[in-house]
Amino acid sequence: MKIAIANDHAAVELKNKIMEYVKELGHEVINYGTDSLESCNYPEFGEKAARAVAGKEADCGILICGTGVGISIAANKVKGIRAAVCSEPVTARLVKEHNNANIIAFGARIVGEETAREIVKAYLEAVFLGGRHKMRVDMIAQMEERF
């Protein structure tokens, strides 16, 4: 699987560790984030990764900023993106199973490396359940068409 990853200055160190972990799990990583600790604007990086996922250049994405919130809000502005902030692995599994989230996000200032690894693993191993959940995801896609 190809996984887009993006981050801001607050998450360079954690991004690098998560990139290595994702590779250890056997996936390809495409880095759309910054490698600099100099202050930068997370919306730019969130949009790059989201556009890669929406454009099928990547199968899914992982976004990391200070809290995971700002970068996920930016990503969710891209049509077709369902980015969800996860601070623990149960939510990461459920956003894939129930919401077919194509991007997860978390905060480098919120979760440590071990929890981040657990979140990523839970998300990548989860499978969308479809059924009643598909109907709801389709409703969200229809909302995008109205705006």
Side-chain angles (χ1 to χ4, degrees), residues 39-115:
S39 183
C40 63
N41 300 313
Y42 59 79
E44 295 172 22
F45 300 105
E47 180 183 8
K48 286 179 187 179
R51 290 202 181 279
V53 172
K56 308 289 187 218
E57 296 166 35
D59 298 302
C60 62
I62 299 169
L63 305 178
I64 317 168
C65 67
T67 64
V69 175
I71 201 165
S72 69
I73 290 171
N76 277 318
K77 297 301 180 185
V78 174
K79 184 178 177 180
I81 294 303
R82 291 173 308 282
V85 179
C86 305
S87 296
E88 39 68 38
V90 174
T91 300
R93 176 179 54 83
L94 289 172
V95 300
K96 181 63 174 185
E97 290 179 351
H98 293 191
N99 311 112
N100 203 16
N102 46 16
I103 294 179
I104 57 167
F106 46 86
R109 295 177 179 143
I110 306 299
V111 302
E113 180 185 351
E114 188 57 38
T115 300

